Amino acid sequence: MQVKNKMNKIIYLDAAATYMKSDSVMGAQADFVREKYANSGRGVCARVAAVDDMVKGCRVAMAEFMNADADGIVFVSGTTDAMNRIVRIVQNTVGRWPLRVAVSDLDHHSARLPWMAAGADVVVCPLDKDFNIDASAIPVADVIVITAMSNVLGVPQDVKKIVASARKKNPDVIAIVDAAQFVVHADIDMRAWDADFVCWSGHKIGADNGIGVMAIKNPNRFMSDKFGGGMVNVVNLDGTFTVQNAPDKFEAGTLPLVQIAGLASAVKEIKNNRPKQALIKFLYDELSRIPRVRILTQPDAVLLSFVIDGMHVIDFGALMGAYDVCLRVGNMCATWIHNKMNLSGSIRVSVGAYNTMDEMKRFVEIVKNIVK
Ligand SMILES: Cc1ncc(COP(=O)(O)O)c(C=O)c1O
């Protein structure tokens, strides 16, 4: 992946927050804006038809990327947007409330808060001793929200097994997967997972902000949640209207076309060039030798989380910042897993395919300087 980032000597170790953008993504977007820009689905001229083709092509590419049906690929602004929208989609479809919603302590705030805010009956799936979702102990629920990979612990969850277990308890359960972190590191297989919804954000894989995917299994089974241009079929003068089939019924309004123009490039790049776990393993081995460092993650996790005895995580982050190292400190929008570990926050290092072993070595030197 070619990333010419203008941050010069900064060591950027926060891919899990947002991934650096490659030249091909920026190039695809610039080309669209300069040479091909028009709205989609709103005209009959060749230029609009070309934009329609671009959107369709990206949709098909996303379906292939996730082993899902193209009709169920809905462009959203990101995972948080999708998670909020799903609550309304489910409410409009099921017509019974409150529903019992199973969540887990691996959740990002974006996965659970929308259900809490809507007054759902939230029940928590237990974690096993290694902080993975215990597939053998899934409670009976109408909906299950599965975090495919925690943004603090960086371990893929056995989504297929968890969904199967939830369906054993309730064959009609609606299974929702937050793949915001998983998508960077491994192939999503929506069919194998047997999930009803799978969501992720483009900016986590090097696409632009403001674009994401909400993939829906059997999308025409679900009701629309947003209304307006593009999703409607016929508007009758008696006050009724009919909606298009999926995916249009979920895409009211103008799509984020510039971001869509870059999304397929980002997917292509990430498929060919995933972040290297060897860099994280190197940091794990090196930091394990520093007495005050307490590592929270497994050696084979895709990211490294830790705390330092006797030093607040915010102070550590500020000191690293003074050395031009960008990493994440705090509770990472993941209150529940920190609570489970009796911590108020942690320090997280996450890498993209653009990070190098030299950066890791420099990072270790700096940590040793700070944590004497
Ligand atoms: C696991 C997980 N879920 C959801 C989100 C929310 O993603 P976004 O802010 O792109 O909507 C994040 C972002 O960090 C995440 O790590």
Side-chain angles (χ1 to χ4, degrees):
M1 174 185 287
Q2 228 203 328
V3 178
K4 282 190 206 129
N5 89 54
K6 300 275 189 292
M7 292 200 286
N8 303 322
K9 61 185 184 347
I10 283 180
I11 302 181
Y12 182 80
L13 299 176
D14 205 6
T18 200
Y19 211 85
M20 288 289 119
K21 300 182 199 328
S22 69
D23 285 349
S24 75
V25 170
M26 292 186 281
Q29 294 196 180
D31 178 58
F32 175 68
V33 173
R34 283 200 201 101
E35 310 290 339
K36 300 169 184 155
Y37 190 75
N39 211 332
S40 64
R42 279 155 175 78
V44 287
C45 64
R47 190 156 167 127
V48 168
V51 179
D52 287 344
D53 285 348
M54 184 273 286
V55 172
K56 194 172 164 197
C58 184
R59 211 184 291 284
V60 169
M62 295 310 111
E64 280 168 11
F65 178 53
M66 304 173 66
N67 192 22
D69 289 331
D71 284 353
I73 300 289
V74 177
F75 293 116
V76 292
S77 73
T79 312
T80 305
D81 181 36
M83 287 294 172
N84 279 273
R85 289 189 58 185
I86 291 167
V87 175
R88 180 61 69 84
I89 292 171
V90 169
Q91 282 180 323
N92 289 353
T93 304
V94 176
R96 173 168 60 84
W97 195 256
L99 294 177
R100 194 170 157 83
V101 179
V103 298
S104 83
D105 283 345
L106 297 184
D107 291 337
H108 188 277
H109 294 165
S110 295
R112 194 190 297 187
L113 292 184
W115 296 100
M116 286 168 57
D121 172 14
V122 172
V123 52
V124 182
C125 299
L127 302 182
D128 65 17
K129 63 175 188 9
D130 298 320
F131 297 122
N132 292 311
I133 298 170
D134 185 349
S136 67
I138 303 297
V140 183
D142 301 300
V143 173
I144 182 166
V145 178
I146 302 163
T147 297
M149 181 179 280
S150 149
N151 62 327
V152 178
L153 298 178
V155 174
Q157 298 301 294
D158 194 339
V159 176
K160 185 177 169 186
K161 203 164 163 191
I162 297 163
V163 173
S165 173
R167 292 207 193 286
K168 240 184 226 159
K169 298 275 171 68
N170 173 14
D172 297 327
V173 70
I174 298 173
I176 301 161
V177 181
D178 173 352
Q181 294 296 331
F182 186 98
V183 64
V184 195
H185 299 284
D187 294 336
I188 293 174
D189 189 337
M190 185 158 175
R191 289 196 181 94
W193 283 356
D194 190 25
D196 296 288
F197 292 86
V198 176
C199 321
W200 49 274
S201 306
H203 73 95
K204 304 273 190 202
I205 61 164
D208 208 346
N209 309 79
I211 185 69
V213 169
M214 170 172 73
I216 314 179
K217 181 174 84 165
N218 299 334
N220 287 317
R221 164 192 165 204
F222 291 100
M223 304 284 281
S224 305
D225 61 314
K226 284 171 106 175
F227 301 87
M231 57 77 67
V232 78
N233 188 15
V234 179
V235 178
N236 303 305
L237 296 179
D238 66 358
T240 59
F241 63 90
T242 56
V243 302
Q244 302 271 15
N245 279 330
D248 299 12
K249 69 190 276 188
F250 297 108
E251 290 181 345
T254 296
L255 288 168
L257 297 165
V258 180
Q259 290 89 337
I260 290 172
L263 185 60
S265 296
V267 159
K268 205 167 155 192
E269 293 224 9
I270 205 77
K271 265 169 63 179
N272 291 332
N273 201 8
R274 302 266 185 197
K276 289 171 197 62
Q277 202 275 331
L279 299 186
I280 295 295
K281 177 66 172 52
F282 173 80
L283 294 184
Y284 181 96
D285 291 342
E286 291 293 320
L287 267 64
S288 309
R289 293 193 199 110
I290 304 176
R292 284 170 61 200
V293 171
R294 183 153 55 94
I295 298 181
L296 308 170
T297 40
Q298 302 292 328
D300 60 352
V302 300
L303 48 80
L304 184 85
S305 291
F306 58 99
V307 288
I308 297 166
D309 291 336
M311 188 182 288
H312 196 283
V313 297
I314 304 288
D315 290 339
F316 179 79
L319 286 167
M320 292 305 280
Y323 281 95
D324 286 330
V325 177
C326 289
L327 42 63
R328 183 85 191 265
V329 293
N331 84 355
M332 327 279 163
C333 305
T335 298
W336 303 291
I337 193 64
H338 282 99
N339 179 53
K340 197 106 201 151
M341 296 188 291
N342 292 319
L343 294 168
S344 59
S346 57
I347 302 157
R348 181 184 72 193
V349 174
S350 55
V351 296
Y354 43 78
N355 286 116
T356 63
M357 188 53 97
D358 282 348
E359 288 176 321
M360 301 304 115
K361 288 179 182 162
R362 173 86 186 115
F363 172 80
V364 173
E365 259 173 46
I366 295 169
V367 176
K368 283 180 179 164
N369 270 345
I370 291 176
V371 188
K372 293 216 172 83

